[in-house]
């Protein structure tokens, strides 16, 4: 299997070159212009019924938009059903279908990280394996990349999932959109298209796959979204329960902290701490004035304690910010800046 894989890889590189040449010298006949090389990365867990249908649909679309210059990489994340056997079948029928199988389940982010590392296409597409994402959307996504965007995120405008997923999901998207400063309706859509540089730059781990558009945006890539068709799940079961939303929000804190504030802890702690201390100060000032005017006796005003607590917590947070700044100053590692291009 591994040998086959490597043969396929060199075959694929040749295709990639061919794809490039075509890309430059086409369009004369007014036919649909074939795009550069495309790698479709599909993380999956226990989707044996959907995979054969997905394979056929992808083959049809990809042969149309990127003839001779596509491949599909499935990442089987420790499936316990017959998924891997189906992937072997797909590969036997068409060597452009390849697969990687994890020894156990590592999660969707891990699968995407490996897929991104292995993908060789100029354009990298990710999609779910459960047939909820429609391969027919690929041409539109790629057209958007060709307009000059670096990441095109699918937007399931009409979503076919139960309410207990769609409602928390709306909330999740609203908060993420606000916190991350990038306006998207659907961060966690499985269907996305990337320019190669994006998947080389963005680091996905933990459960960070939900924040890839935000991470890419902060790296300076041009991110946009495109409404896509979504379908109800026909086979198998959903693997993500409601618990994912709590984890998702904790991850948002991590993402914000490690990307935006890691160099400036004072901006976070100082801001929050300063605000707390101010609230405490104003509260106690108000009480002090009342007391001075003889309107109240502080011993029966619990609000006084609240004010004092806020001041203490605020000062503590500012101090933590200062300590954070000291640590950052003393451990300045070599920075990783993302360079777009250079001359010569
Ligand atoms: N690699 C990997 N893929 C997963 C895992 N759980 C689900 N998936 C895949 O991620 C996609 C979306 O999962 P799904 O359960 O349909 O989530 P939903 O659409 O939000 O209900 C499908 O292709 C799944 O096979 C996992 O633990 N690891
Ligand atoms: Mg699904």
């Amino acid at each position: 299997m591994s040998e086959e894989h490597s043969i396929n890889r060199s075959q694929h590189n040749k295709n990639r070159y061919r794809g490039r040449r075509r890309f430059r010298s086409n369009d004369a006949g007014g036919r649909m212009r074939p795009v550069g090389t495309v790698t479709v990365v599909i993380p999956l867990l226990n989707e044996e019924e959907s995979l054969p249908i997905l394979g056929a649909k992808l083959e049809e679309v990809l042969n149309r938009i990127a003839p001779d210059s596509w491949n599909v990489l499935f990442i089987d994340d420790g499936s316990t059903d017959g998924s891997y056997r189906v992937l072997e079948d797909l590969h036997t029928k068409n060597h452009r279908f390849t697969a990687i199988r994890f020894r156990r389940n590592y999660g969707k982010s891990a699968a995407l990280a490996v897929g991104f590392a292995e993908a060789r296409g100029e354009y990298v597409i990710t999609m779910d394996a459960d047939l909820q994402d429609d391969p027919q959307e690929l041409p539109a996504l790629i057209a958007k990349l060709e307009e000059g965007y670096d990441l095109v995120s699918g937007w399931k405008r009409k979503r076919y999932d139960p309410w207990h997923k769609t409602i928390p999901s709306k909330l999740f998207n609203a908060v993420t959109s606000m916190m991350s400063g990038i306006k998207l309706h659907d961060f966690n859509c499985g269907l996305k298209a990337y320019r190669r540089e994006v998947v080389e730059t963005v680091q996905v781990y933990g459960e960070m796959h939900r924040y890839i558009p935000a991470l890419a945006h902060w790296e300076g890539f041009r991110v946009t979204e495109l409404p896509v068709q979504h379908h109800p799940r026909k086979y198998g079961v959903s693997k993500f329960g409601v618990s994912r939303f709590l984890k998702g929000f904790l991850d948002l804190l991590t993402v914000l902290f490690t990307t935006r504030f890691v160099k400036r802890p004072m901006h976070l702690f100082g801001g929050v701490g300063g605000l707390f201390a101010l609230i405490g100060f104003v509260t106690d000032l108000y009480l002090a004035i009342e007391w001075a005017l003889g309107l109240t006796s502080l011993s029966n005003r619990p609000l006084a304690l609240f004010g004092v607590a806020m001041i203490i917590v605020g000062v503590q947070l500012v101090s933590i910010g200062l300590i954070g700044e000291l640590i950052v100053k003393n451990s300045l590692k070599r920075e990783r800046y993302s360079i777009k291009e250079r001359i010569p």
Side-chain angles (χ1 to χ4, degrees), residues 45 47 77 105 111 128-130 132 165 233 238-240:
L45 178 66
E47 304 283 3
D77 192 5
N105 180 262
D128 286 356
D130 54 3
Q132 290 197 271
K165 296 185 85 157
R233 189 185 252 282
S238 170
K239 280 90 194 171
F240 293 104

Side-chain angles (χ1 to χ4, degrees), residues 22-23 39 43 100 150 156 164 168 173 175 219 225 231 261 270 275 315 340:
R22 238 175 227 267
F23 186 73
T39 300
I100 290 175
D150 298 307
K156 297 163 287 192
H164 54 84
N173 282 310
V175 174
E219 289 279 358
E225 70 182 350
H231 300 285
F261 297 117
L275 183 71
V315 171
K340 189 172 180 193

Side-chain angles (χ1 to χ4, degrees), residues 75-302:
I75 317 285
D76 178 356
D77 192 5
S79 291
T80 48
D81 66 353
S83 293
Y84 197 71
R85 247 174 294 123
V86 179
L87 297 177
E88 282 173 337
D89 283 350
L90 282 174
H91 175 75
T92 318
K93 287 190 203 126
N94 187 341
H95 277 34
R96 293 182 183 283
F97 289 104
T98 56
I100 290 175
R101 182 186 201 176
F102 287 173
R103 209 174 293 284
R104 66 165 171 85
N105 180 262
Y106 287 95
K108 197 170 179 180
S109 287
L112 284 175
V114 170
F116 285 170
E118 298 275 326
R120 294 289 170 270
E122 274 171 71
Y123 298 145
V124 179
I125 315 262
T126 59
M127 66 188 297
D128 286 356
D130 54 3
L131 295 173
Q132 290 197 271
D133 295 334
D134 196 330
Q136 295 297 336
E137 298 289 351
L138 264 54
L141 288 169
I142 290 177
K144 214 62 189 158
L145 287 181
E146 299 212 309
E147 269 176 39
Y149 290 100
D150 298 307
L151 192 171
V152 186
S153 184
W155 168 20
K156 297 163 287 192
R157 206 203 286 247
K158 175 105 187 64
R159 221 182 132 173
Y160 295 90
D161 277 323
W163 64 269
H164 54 84
K165 296 185 85 157
T166 51
I167 291 176
S169 170
K170 281 220 171 78
L171 181 72
F172 166 85
N173 282 310
V175 174
T176 309
S177 187
M178 204 179 68
M179 305 277 275
S180 65
I182 171 172
K183 296 270 163 292
L184 291 187
H185 293 89
D186 192 357
F187 279 82
N188 196 17
C189 182
L191 187 54
K192 290 189 172 63
Y194 308 82
R195 227 170 252 287
R196 205 184 153 63
E197 298 94 283
V198 181
V199 305
E200 279 170 359
T201 310
V202 170
Q203 291 177 0
V204 203
Y205 64 93
E207 307 252 307
M208 299 301 185
H209 60 270
R210 300 193 181 95
Y211 300 101
I212 295 177
L215 297 170
H217 171 68
W218 292 334
E219 289 279 358
F221 290 110
R222 288 185 70 198
V223 179
T224 188
E225 70 182 350
L226 186 74
V228 293
Q229 177 74 41
H230 189 239
H231 300 285
R233 189 185 252 282
K234 258 208 211 114
Y235 309 102
V237 291
S238 170
K239 280 90 194 171
F240 293 104
V242 180
S243 78
R244 67 167 158 185
F245 289 104
L246 176 63
K247 291 189 208 149
F249 280 117
L250 293 178
D251 280 340
L252 178 61
L253 289 184
T254 312
V255 169
L256 284 173
F257 197 74
T258 55
T259 53
R260 302 193 111 181
F261 297 117
V262 71
K263 298 281 148 40
R264 300 320 310 265
M266 195 57 186
H267 287 191
L268 180 67
F269 291 109
V272 178
L275 183 71
F276 278 26
L278 186 70
I279 293 173
F281 178 75
V282 172
T283 311
D284 281 351
L285 186 67
Y286 156 74
L287 289 174
I289 292 170
E290 275 199 348
W291 171 79
L293 298 177
L295 297 173
T296 188
S297 132
L298 284 183
S299 57
N300 58 15
R301 293 308 302 264

Side-chain angles (χ1 to χ4, degrees), residues 12 37-41 62 69-73 115 118-126 196:
H12 174 62
T37 48
V38 178
T39 300
V40 183
V41 172
L62 288 164
S69 54
W70 59 271
N71 78 331
V72 176
L73 174 58
E118 298 275 326
R120 294 289 170 270
E122 274 171 71
Y123 298 145
V124 179
I125 315 262
T126 59
R196 205 184 153 63

